[in-house]
Amino acid sequence: MNNFAQKEFNTIVAGSCILAMNAGFINVVTLAGVFSVTVSHVTGNVSRVAISIFNGDLTTFSLVTSILFSFMFGAFISGYLVGDAKFVLGKSYGYALLLESMMLFASFASLRGEYIVGEWCAAFACGLQNAMATSYSGLVVRTTHMTGIATDIGNILGQACRKDNHAEVWRLYVHVPILLSYTGGGFLGQLAYYFLREQSLLIPCIFTGVTAVIYLSLPFFASA
């Protein structure tokens, strides 16, 4: 791997880990909050929708369905803003991060008043971030849910154990750090919520906002 390729790879891993930690933080804070719902765990939410339909629970059905649509709308906006998912070092994701920061602030302000719109805003932010996925050598990197990550880790390890020459072990250097970062973000989110309650959301809000401003202000990225 030449110097540029190594720099590109390191940038993907570092950026993905930072975003995964951010997502883990947000998801735990909303799960611990007044509505006790997750905003990035789409698989679990789809299951909750099915259960609510069976039970005739219109309240839960409406709540979780609205969160799912908010997540998808965030992904839609990300697709419109960012476009091509192929990673190009220097391509500006700054405006998407700024929008994520604004939505997290709106989530904080709404959840303080126990308004459901706060969950919608947090789900929108997670959908926006997850759709900022990038592709690298056929590897799709996503940062807000870990089902695919855990599957790939297990699959690659299984292939490696059977000494499969086609096992892409290098992918573990991406997936494992992302999984650990998401877990660490969740731990920090629970810790922050214990002391700060809904104000915890200001942490990822400020973090993404500052990251976006720095990203956009660097000449290398601003020119992309």
Side-chain angles (χ1 to χ4, degrees):
M1 186 179 289
N2 59 43
N3 289 337
F4 178 80
Q6 185 64 56
K7 180 179 180 181
E8 187 180 57
F9 180 79
N10 292 342
T11 301
I12 291 174
V13 175
S16 298
C17 287
I18 290 171
L19 291 176
M21 181 173 289
N22 191 56
F25 188 105
I26 295 167
N27 198 49
V28 167
V29 169
T30 55
L31 185 59
V34 61
F35 293 101
S36 299
V37 289
T38 173
V39 294
S40 74
H41 184 37
V42 175
T43 304
N45 281 340
V46 171
S47 296
R48 290 190 67 183
V49 168
I51 293 170
S52 66
I53 292 173
F54 178 82
N55 292 331
D57 185 351
L58 183 60
T59 299
T60 299
F61 174 82
S62 301
L63 170 64
V64 180
T65 300
S66 66
I67 289 173
L68 286 172
F69 276 106
S70 297
F71 186 97
M72 286 190 287
F73 186 56
F76 169 84
I77 295 299
S78 181
Y80 183 82
L81 290 176
V82 177
D84 188 8
K86 189 178 187 301
F87 181 76
V88 179
L89 189 62
K91 186 173 182 178
S92 176
Y93 293 95
Y95 293 118
L97 286 172
L98 278 177
L99 179 57
E100 180 179 351
S101 177
M102 289 187 288
M103 295 304 290
L104 289 172
F105 182 79
S107 177
F108 152 72
S110 300
L111 289 176
R112 285 191 68 186
E114 299 187 1
Y115 296 117
I116 185 58
V117 68
E119 300 287 353
W120 298 345
C121 291
F124 178 97
C126 285
L128 177 74
Q129 178 179 307
N130 199 52
M132 288 169 62
T134 185
S135 62
Y136 182 84
S137 295
L139 170 66
V140 178
V141 181
R142 297 190 183 275
T143 59
T144 73
H145 59 269
M146 297 294 108
T147 303
I149 298 289
T151 301
D152 285 346
I153 291 173
N155 186 38
I156 293 167
L157 288 174
Q159 292 174 357
C161 285
R162 69 193 297 267
K163 297 182 180 180
D164 189 335
N165 293 329
H166 298 291
E168 296 179 294
V169 180
W170 66 268
R171 295 190 180 205
L172 295 176
Y173 292 97
V174 180
H175 288 317
V176 173
I178 288 176
L179 181 61
L180 293 176
S181 297
Y182 189 91
T183 304
F187 174 83
L188 293 175
Q190 183 64 57
L191 180 65
Y193 188 83
Y194 180 81
F195 291 104
L196 302 174
R197 311 301 289 179
E198 279 73 22
Q199 293 181 12
S200 304
L201 284 172
L202 287 176
I203 296 174
C205 169
I206 294 170
F207 172 76
T208 52
V210 170
T211 300
V213 170
I214 293 174
Y215 188 97
L216 291 171
S217 67
L218 294 175
F220 181 78
F221 293 107
S223 63

